[in-house]
Amino acid sequence: MVAHLSDRNPVIAADALIGEMVPPSMFDEVSFDSYIPDPNEPSQAAAVAAARDFVARASKIRAGGGKRGLFRKATTPQGIGLYLDGGFGVGKTHLLASIFHSMPGPRAFATFGEVTNLVGALGYTDSLERLSDRTVLCIDEFELDDPGDTMVVSRLLSELSARGVSIVATSNTLPGQLGEGRFAAQDFLREIQKLSSIFESVRVDGPDYRHRDLPPAPEPATEAELVAQAEATPGATLDSFDDLAAHLAKLHPSKYKSLVDGVTLVCISDVHPAEDQAVALRLVALADRLYDADIPVVTSGVKLDEIFTPEMVAGGYRKKYLRAISRLLALSRLAETAA
């Protein structure tokens, strides 16, 4: 009998949330050497050099420790910061994971959403204390579309930096809107005013590698094909779109990673455009977790590039929706290859 994501109710301990702050499995073996810069995009080679330099400088901060004078207590050197600004699929996460793997001591890697989920699950004070012993905090896809979340994370980063934790963050700029991307980077730096003096902003340009020479969104499966593939794949799950959306509403987003743990294929029937913004944002969070775990996705109903309404894609969460579409399409093509 095929399992259902809507039947899963994961329970996660605080230590497990911190322990899961590592790069997605697809980035387990990446390094600066395995990042191949596009020869037509000199910014990529410059970004690699900036990332290597960051590791060299950040590694010395905790290694040196605080200096103690005759009549004063030891002081903790402030962490440094690097901000990688660029479009979808240009290798920023590859560089971020390479920084994580190159840094000594305890480290932490999470998306912006995972950091906000951590604070929501553990509380601000507990999150701060648990992250303060890290040498570096790597934050993928820093987002400015939610002022409340941005202010909380900005305060967290300021206090962590004061405790000697170095920070690396990436952003996603919409393709073809590089001016907007640079403006977004400045918004980020203004938003975290206490950190702006230590952040180096580095641009990474190039086409989305997930869509290079690839066909458009694949045709959805029929209901019969979907059920047959789910039944033939060990570890697959099968849910209707509405049942899955309803179940996601009952779970804290910090549990989405555990929700798909061990799943080999996600099948979703009767997919239709998400009319509700809350539903759509939960789908974005789920798409991120599926992409991180490299889990193929097969659907019936509308094409995956139609899962968010045109009004939503044109709104304030545009970057999130386009990123989710890009990732879902990559996972659907992965399913085609596996089949």
Side-chain angles (χ1 to χ4, degrees), residues 35 70 82 99 114 212 257 308 315 318:
Y35 182 95
L70 183 61
L82 178 66
I99 290 173
E114 287 174 326
R212 291 174 193 166
K257 185 173 184 177
F308 305 116
R318 177 178 173 83

Side-chain angles (χ1 to χ4, degrees), residues 5 26 37 74 112 177 188 206 223 285 323:
L5 290 178
M26 68 178 70
F112 179 86
Q177 298 184 351
F188 169 78
E223 294 299 316
R323 181 185 77 232

Side-chain angles (χ1 to χ4, degrees), residues 114-333:
E114 287 174 326
V115 174
T116 59
N117 291 338
L118 179 74
V119 175
L122 302 184
Y124 180 86
T125 301
D126 195 10
S127 299
L128 174 63
E129 292 303 319
R130 288 175 179 273
L131 293 174
S132 292
D133 66 339
R134 310 287 120 162
T135 58
V136 66
L137 172 58
C138 302
I139 303 180
D140 205 12
E141 297 150 5
F142 200 101
E143 297 166 348
L144 290 167
D145 45 32
D146 189 314
D149 286 345
T150 304
M151 289 302 293
V152 168
V153 176
S154 297
R155 178 187 167 200
L156 179 68
L157 299 190
S158 296
E159 296 202 33
L160 287 173
S161 178
R163 298 187 183 198
V165 181
S166 293
I167 313 291
V168 193
T170 72
S171 77
N172 273 330
T173 301
L174 301 180
Q177 298 184 351
L178 302 186
E180 179 182 318
R182 293 189 178 93
F183 178 73
Q186 294 306 309
D187 281 352
F188 169 78
L189 297 177
R190 282 197 299 270
E191 189 62 42
I192 51 174
Q193 294 178 4
K194 293 181 182 180
L195 288 178
S196 61
S197 62
I198 65 169
F199 262 86
E200 175 189 2
S201 183
V202 175
R203 181 74 197 174
V204 191
D205 292 319
D208 185 342
Y209 77 90
R210 289 188 290 268
H211 295 290
R212 291 174 193 166
D213 304 317
L214 291 175
E219 290 294 327
T222 65
E223 294 299 316
E225 291 170 339
L226 190 70
V227 172
Q229 189 163 355
E231 291 178 341
T233 306
T237 61
L238 174 62
D239 297 85
S240 74
F241 182 81
D242 289 335
D243 285 348
L244 180 57
H247 187 59
L248 293 178
K250 301 174 185 177
L251 298 177
H252 191 278
S254 63
K255 296 183 178 181
Y256 289 7
K257 185 173 184 177
S258 294
L259 179 68
V260 299
D261 185 40
V263 175
T264 60
L265 173 70
V266 168
C267 300
I268 308 173
S269 64
D270 302 314
V271 173
H272 59 79
E275 301 290 344
D276 183 85
Q277 192 92 264
V279 172
L281 291 174
R282 293 185 196 109
L283 292 172
V284 169
L286 179 63
D288 287 341
R289 301 291 75 76
L290 291 172
Y291 185 77
D292 289 346
D294 210 21
I295 300 173
V297 174
V298 181
T299 61
S300 66
V302 302
K303 292 183 178 182
L304 285 172
D305 57 2
E306 299 172 9
I307 197 171
F308 305 116
T309 66
E311 293 77 16
M312 287 181 178
V313 175
Y317 295 109
R318 177 178 173 83
K319 289 184 179 181
K320 286 187 177 182
Y321 294 142
L322 290 180
R323 181 185 77 232
I325 290 172
S326 175
R327 292 184 163 186
L328 287 172
L329 292 181
L331 294 176
S332 67
R333 295 185 183 110

